[in-house]
Amino acid sequence: MSNTRVSQAIVFVGDNTDDIVLDATNGALTVGLGLAVALNLDGADQNTLDKLAVVFAHAAAVSRNRSLRQVA
């Protein structure tokens, strides 16, 4: 098991969905967030990847709920 390491403390994700990409070429597993940030997931086990998926799905649900409340 390896510990998570951070080289930059804050990432501001914008609204350009084309900036979010998965790169699985050459055996690497990397999520790109724009040109400045890449999440290298090679050291993560399946439980960690599943937890990331759950957290991001929860964030999306919270954001959608906020948007719907503003419209209502």
Side-chain angles (χ1 to χ4, degrees):
M1 177 168 57
S2 62
N3 292 325
T4 300
R5 295 170 302 281
V6 177
S7 63
Q8 298 295 325
I10 298 175
V11 176
F12 296 95
V13 178
D15 59 0
N16 186 354
T17 57
D18 292 337
D19 282 349
I20 303 168
V21 296
L22 173 64
D23 183 2
T25 58
N26 300 324
L29 186 58
T30 304
V31 174
L33 301 174
L35 298 174
V37 176
L39 301 174
N40 183 310
L41 303 173
D42 284 338
D45 64 6
Q46 190 61 51
N47 288 335
T48 302
L49 295 174
D50 291 345
K51 177 70 180 226
L52 279 170
V54 168
V55 168
F56 280 120
H58 188 200
V62 168
S63 178
R64 183 169 306 278
N65 188 24
R66 287 179 182 167
S67 296
L68 291 173
R69 285 185 183 185
Q70 288 176 352
V71 172

